[in-house]
């Protein structure tokens, strides 16, 4: 009986080995998707009301821009950058305070994260998606005074209009920091400061390593784009200003 079982096992193993197949060549070709493809009327009828609802929501007017705003209308600060930093800070403040009992000191975003200008005229829901197409979420990192100084040094050396709020910086003709204030006061050694930013930057994006390993971190479960939409709904006309929060004298 054992011999029969052994022979059957050997036979099955040989059979499987003979049936083993290998891929020797892969071929592919491009299939262009264009208007020449036939429309499935049943599918089209099903999705039509959803598409119309999305288009209606995207085209809903929320606010008004008094002028064109873009990320190159200033050197170290821009109108759209100031707007973004201010609204993220103001929209996040009540959420953070309710959870922790603390206020937000600074907002820091990145220049490259602003992907489109805001043109003069009506601001729609679509505007928020154009400016912020990413799924970046808002977090609040509590930083040591040392890392706030590192932040100021980073901004001075980068010489890019990274959006800031709650922080003012002055550089001299040699691009050295002559003044750095948080909410109008000098940075105090030994104190911690709360910085609202994006999860991308807090994880070291754009080499903002000073945001990593914070004293504490609060994830607000609030996307930057949603904060924009909520803010636009709350105001009739958005501010478009350069106020000297980051200047070189």
């Amino acid at each position: 009986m054992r011999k029969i079982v052994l022979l059957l096992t050997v036979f099955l193993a040989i059979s499987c080995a003979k049936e083993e197949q290998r891929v020797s060549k892969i071929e592919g070709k491009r299939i262009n998707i264009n208007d020449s493809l036939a429309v499935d009327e049943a599918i089209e009828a099903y999705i039509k009301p959803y598409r119309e609802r999305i288009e209606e929501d995207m085209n809903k007017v929320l606010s008004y821009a008094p002028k064109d705003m873009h990320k190159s209308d200033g050197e170290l600060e821009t109108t759209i950058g100031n707007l973004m930093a201010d609204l993220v800070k103001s929209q996040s403040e009540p959420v953070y305070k309710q959870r922790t009992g603390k206020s937000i000191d600074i907002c820091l975003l990145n220049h490259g994260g602003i992907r489109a200008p805001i043109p003069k005229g009506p601001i729609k829901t679509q505007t928020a998606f154009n400016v912020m197409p990413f799924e970046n979420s808002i977090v609040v990192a509590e930083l040591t005074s040392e890392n706030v100084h590192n932040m100021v040094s980073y901004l001075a050396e980068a010489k890019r209009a990274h959006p800031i709020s709650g922080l003012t910086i002055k550089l001299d003709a040699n691009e050295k920091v002559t003044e750095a204030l948080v909410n109008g006061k000098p940075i105090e050694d030994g104190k911690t400061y709360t910085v609202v930013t994006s999860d991308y930057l807090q994880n070291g994006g754009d080499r903002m390593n000073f945001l990593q390993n914070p004293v504490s971190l609060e994830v607000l479960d609030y996307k930057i784009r949603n904060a924009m939409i909520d803010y636009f709904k709350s105001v009739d006309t958005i501010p478009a200003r350069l106020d000297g929060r980051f200047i070189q004298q």
Side-chain angles (χ1 to χ4, degrees):
M1 182 67 179
R2 289 181 180 177
K3 289 183 179 180
I4 294 173
V5 172
L6 179 61
L7 287 172
L8 285 172
T9 303
V10 172
F11 175 75
L12 289 171
I14 294 171
S15 299
C16 291
K18 287 182 179 179
E19 292 177 2
E20 183 179 356
Q21 298 179 353
R22 290 187 175 89
V23 177
S24 60
K25 186 178 181 182
I26 298 176
E27 293 183 347
K29 64 178 181 178
R30 177 183 293 180
I31 300 176
N32 291 322
I33 299 176
N34 52 43
D35 294 339
S36 65
L37 296 177
V39 175
D40 188 309
E41 297 297 338
I43 294 176
E44 177 65 20
Y46 180 80
I47 65 174
K48 183 179 178 181
Y50 297 98
R51 182 194 298 117
E52 291 176 347
R53 177 61 183 273
I54 290 173
E55 290 176 351
E56 179 184 349
D57 288 343
M58 285 295 187
N59 289 311
K60 187 176 295 183
V61 175
L62 308 178
S63 187
Y64 180 83
K67 60 182 289 187
D68 290 340
M69 301 170 64
H70 51 85
K71 63 180 186 180
S72 59
D73 59 12
E75 294 184 12
L76 297 176
E77 61 170 324
T78 65
T79 55
I80 193 169
N82 289 352
L83 171 73
M84 289 291 293
D86 288 346
L87 74 84
V88 168
K89 185 173 183 289
S90 66
Q91 292 298 125
S92 303
E93 172 77 20
V95 181
Y96 183 67
K97 193 158 192 175
Q98 183 179 27
R99 291 187 185 181
T100 67
K102 295 183 288 188
S103 297
I104 295 172
D105 296 309
I106 300 167
C107 178
L108 172 65
L109 303 175
N110 62 319
H111 182 266
I114 300 173
R115 307 303 286 188
I118 296 178
K120 178 181 178 180
I123 294 175
K124 303 177 182 179
T125 304
Q126 183 68 56
T127 306
F129 281 81
N130 293 341
V131 175
M132 178 55 63
F134 311 113
E135 297 299 312
N136 291 134
S137 293
I138 299 172
V139 300
V140 182
E142 184 179 3
L143 302 186
T144 62
S145 56
E146 180 182 0
N147 272 333
V148 174
H149 282 298
N150 291 337
M151 178 196 305
V152 172
S153 297
Y154 171 93
L155 294 169
E157 292 171 9
K159 294 185 285 291
R160 296 192 76 191
H162 292 302
I164 57 174
S165 181
L167 176 67
T168 56
I169 304 173
K170 291 182 181 179
L171 307 179
D172 63 17
N174 298 316
E175 299 176 347
K176 300 296 182 183
V177 178
T178 59
E179 186 176 70
L181 305 176
V182 177
N183 297 319
K185 298 178 180 179
I187 301 166
E188 296 181 34
D189 292 339
K191 183 178 178 179
T192 61
Y193 292 86
T194 50
V195 181
V196 63
T197 186
S198 70
D199 55 348
Y200 165 73
L201 295 181
Q202 195 278 317
N203 284 313
D206 270 9
R207 297 180 295 105
M208 294 191 184
N209 300 322
F210 48 83
L211 290 169
Q212 295 181 301
N213 302 313
V215 175
S216 67
L217 181 69
E218 187 73 25
V219 179
L220 299 192
D221 302 313
Y222 194 17
K223 294 189 184 301
I224 292 179
R225 185 193 307 122
N226 291 345
M228 294 176 66
I229 293 171
D230 290 342
Y231 175 79
F232 292 154
K233 289 178 178 178
S234 70
V235 297
D236 178 75
T237 302
I238 63 172
R241 60 175 178 265
L242 302 176
D243 54 20
R245 64 185 67 184
F246 191 4
I247 61 173
Q248 182 174 3
Q249 297 175 312

